[in-house]
C-alpha cells in the first residue's frame, strides 16, 4: 500500500466527528455502545454535503473511552462507507493510546482495513520531552512508511503543545502531512515557518479567515467539529475564500463567532477540556444534524451553565444553517 495522501490533499473543510452512541453508552456495564447505523448515516451525510476530509477518534470522538472492540467496530463501519461512496476522500482515523505498542497495533488494524491516514496524538500519561516526542513519531513513520499522519496538537490533552523544533523535525518526514491546530496564537507563526510548507497546519474554522489573510499559500484548509452541527456555514466560508469574496468570508466568520459566544471552549479552554466530550455531544444533538447520543464514562456530567451554553451553541448553529440554506 503506497502512501496515498500528501500535504496537498489536506485542504478545504476537514470535519471532526464524534462516535455516535447507543442509549446505554453511559452505563458502566455498557458494552458495544457504538450506534453503527447512525455512524453510517453520519459519514454518508457529511460526504454528500461536500466536506473535503474527515477526522475521527480524537477527544470528542472518545478515543479515550471506547473499548478496543467498539473502536474496531466504528472504524470498520467508517471505512466501509468511505470505501463505497468516496474512496479518495482524505480520511484520518484516530489511534492514540497510552503507549506506543498499542498504537502500533491499532495502526496495523487500520492498515489491514485499507485505511491510508491516521490521526495521532502521543502517549499522554505524562508529558513527553521534545526528543521523546519526535522519536515517537519517527518510530511510527518508520514502522508504517505508507501511512499518512495528521498530528493532534492539543496542549490540554497532551500536557503541552508540540514544540516548534519538533514541528521542524517532523516536517522532514513525508508521512507527516499536517496537524489539527487548536488556536491562532503567536506560536502559530513560528510553527508555520518551522514546517516550511511541508505540512498543513489546520486552524479551527473560526480562525480560518485570519489565518488565510496572514498565510494565503499555507492556510488552504481548516478543521471543524461544528460541521457536525451542520456543515453549511463552513462550506460557505470555504467557497467564499476560494472565490476571493472577503466580504462574504468576514460576514460568515462573524456569524460563526456569534454561535460560539455561549460555548465554554471559547471563554475558558482549560476548563472546557474537563468536560469536552459531554459538551460537544450536547451541542451536536441540540443542532440536530446527527444523533451523537450520550457520552461514555467517565464524562457523564457537566455544570448546568456549561451544558446550557453548549446547547445554545447548537441552537445558534442550527439557526445559522437555516440562514444560509434560506439565502441560497
Amino acid at each position: 500500500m503506497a502512501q496515498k495522501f500528501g500535504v496537498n490533499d489536506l485542504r478545504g473543510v476537514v470535519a471532526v466527528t464524534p462516535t455516535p452512541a447507543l442509549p446505554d453508552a453511559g452505563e458502566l456495564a455498557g458494552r458495544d455502545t457504538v450506534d453503527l447505523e447512525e455512524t453510517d448515516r453520519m459519514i454518508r451525510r457529511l460526504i454528500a454535503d461536500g466536506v473535503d476530509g474527515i477526522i475521527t477518534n480524537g477527544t470528542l470522538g472518545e478515543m479515550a473511552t471506547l473499548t478496543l472492540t467498539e473502536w474496531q467496530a466504528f472504524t470498520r463501519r467508517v471505512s466501509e462507507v468511505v470505501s463505497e461512496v468516496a474512496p479518495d476522500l482524505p480520511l484520518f482515523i484516530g489511534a492514540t493510546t497510552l503507549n506506543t505498542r498499542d498504537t502500533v497495533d491499532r495502526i496495523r488494524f487500520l492498515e489491514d482495513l485499507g485505511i491510508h491516514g491516521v490521526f495521532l496524538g502521543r502517549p499522554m500519561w505524562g508529558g513527553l520531552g521534545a526528543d521523546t516526542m519526535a522519536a515517537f513519531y519517527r518510530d511510527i513513520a518508520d514502522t508504517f512508511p505508507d501511512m499518512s499522519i495528521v498530528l493532534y496538537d492539543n496542549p490540554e490533552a497532551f500536557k503541552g503543545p508540540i514544540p516548534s523544533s519538533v514541528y521542524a523535525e517532523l516536517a522532514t518526514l513525508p508521512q507527516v502531512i499536517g496537524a489539527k491546530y487548536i488556536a491562532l496564537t503567536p506560536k502559530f507563526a513560528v510553527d508555520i515557518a518551522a514546517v516550511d510548507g511541508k505540512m498543513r497546519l489546520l486552524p479551527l474554522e473560526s480562525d480560518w479567515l485570519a489565518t488565510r489573510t496572514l498565510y494565503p499559500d499555507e492556510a488552504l484548509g481548516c478543521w471543524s467539529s461544528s460541521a457536525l452541527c451542520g456543515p453549511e456555514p463552513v462550506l460557505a466560508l470555504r467557497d467564499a475564500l476560494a472565490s476571493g469574496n472577503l466580504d462574504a468570508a468576514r460576514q460568515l466568520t462573524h456569524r460563526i463567532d456569534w454561535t460560539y459566544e455561549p460555548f465554554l471552549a471559547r471563554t475558558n479552554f482549560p476548563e472546557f477540556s474537563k468536560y469536552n466530550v459531554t459538551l460537544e455531544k450536547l451541542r451536536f444533538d441540540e443542532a440536530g444534524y446527527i444523533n451523537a447520543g450520550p457520552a461514555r464514562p467517565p464524562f457523564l456530567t457537566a455544570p448546568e451553565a456549561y451544558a446550557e451554553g453548549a446547547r445554545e451553541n447548537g441552537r445558534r448553529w442550527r439557526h445559522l444553517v437555516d440562514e444560509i440554506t434560506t439565502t441560497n
Side-chain angles (χ1 to χ4, degrees):
M1 179 172 80
Q3 183 173 339
K4 183 170 184 175
F5 302 124
V7 63
N8 289 327
D9 297 299
L10 201 59
R11 57 175 62 220
V13 176
V14 182
V16 178
T17 79
T19 301
L22 295 170
D24 69 343
E27 302 296 327
L28 295 185
R31 298 295 184 272
D32 299 321
T33 66
V34 178
D35 187 337
L36 293 175
E37 290 186 7
E38 183 63 11
T39 296
D40 191 293
R41 190 182 77 88
M42 173 182 73
I43 299 300
R44 289 178 189 274
R45 189 172 189 186
L46 285 170
I47 293 170
D49 286 345
V51 302
D52 302 289
I54 292 174
I55 284 174
T56 74
N57 297 123
T59 304
L60 69 89
E62 295 179 275
M63 189 63 191
T65 61
L66 294 169
T67 67
L68 175 59
T69 300
E70 289 171 332
W71 176 81
Q72 289 175 332
F74 174 75
T75 295
R76 188 178 290 109
R77 181 60 62 89
V78 171
S79 174
E80 289 169 352
V81 174
V82 172
S83 295
E84 176 190 341
V85 300
D88 294 326
L89 183 83
L91 172 65
F92 304 90
I93 303 286
T96 306
T97 71
L98 287 179
N99 68 83
T100 305
R101 291 176 296 169
D102 281 342
T103 291
V104 166
D105 288 347
R106 295 203 180 200
I107 299 175
R108 289 200 193 285
F109 180 82
L110 299 181
E111 202 171 49
D112 289 345
L113 288 177
I115 291 172
H116 296 265
V118 62
F119 179 49
L120 196 58
R122 62 259 192 196
M124 54 185 172
W125 190 280
L128 299 184
D131 52 349
T132 307
M133 194 184 306
F136 165 73
Y137 284 114
R138 281 199 312 271
D139 286 345
I140 296 297
D142 288 345
T143 305
F144 300 98
D146 299 326
M147 184 69 71
S148 298
I149 300 169
V150 171
L151 308 176
Y152 184 16
D153 191 357
N154 183 327
E156 292 298 321
F158 302 113
K159 301 176 177 65
I162 297 175
S164 301
S165 61
V166 174
Y167 268 120
E169 182 171 347
L170 297 183
T172 67
L173 304 176
Q175 295 94 336
V176 182
I177 67 169
K180 177 177 176 279
Y181 211 92
I182 293 297
L184 185 58
T185 65
K187 182 177 178 294
F188 187 85
V190 181
D191 293 341
I192 281 282
V195 302
D196 192 28
K198 301 181 183 70
M199 187 190 304
R200 182 88 65 222
L201 303 186
L202 294 171
L204 179 63
E205 85 283 298
S206 57
D207 292 326
W208 195 7
L209 172 60
T211 309
R212 184 71 167 263
T213 301
L214 293 169
Y215 309 102
D217 295 328
E218 292 91 352
L220 302 180
C222 75
W223 66 270
S224 178
S225 55
S226 289
L228 275 297
C229 295
E232 291 87 350
V234 195
L235 297 176
L237 177 60
R238 175 198 65 189
D239 295 344
L241 290 172
S243 67
N245 189 342
L246 295 184
D247 286 340
R250 280 190 286 268
Q251 179 62 21
L252 285 162
T253 300
H254 174 74
R255 297 298 285 157
I256 288 170
D257 284 340
W258 167 75
T259 72
Y260 280 132
E261 286 176 354
F263 194 41
L264 183 64
R266 266 304 171 86
T267 58
N268 189 336
F269 187 73
E271 181 71 4
F272 165 74
S273 294
K274 300 173 186 176
Y275 302 100
N276 177 308
V277 176
T278 307
L279 299 180
E280 292 280 10
K281 285 202 154 183
L282 284 172
R283 75 184 184 116
F284 294 151
D285 283 345
E286 191 71 26
Y289 182 77
I290 62 166
N291 179 20
R296 298 170 175 86
F299 300 106
L300 304 180
T301 62
E304 179 53 31
Y306 298 171
E308 178 54 26
R311 288 189 287 264
E312 176 62 13
N313 169 248
R315 290 190 289 268
R316 290 188 182 194
W317 193 277
R318 185 175 66 234
H319 181 80
L320 180 55
V321 169
D322 290 342
E323 280 183 11
I324 291 169
T325 54
T326 299
T327 301
N328 294 339

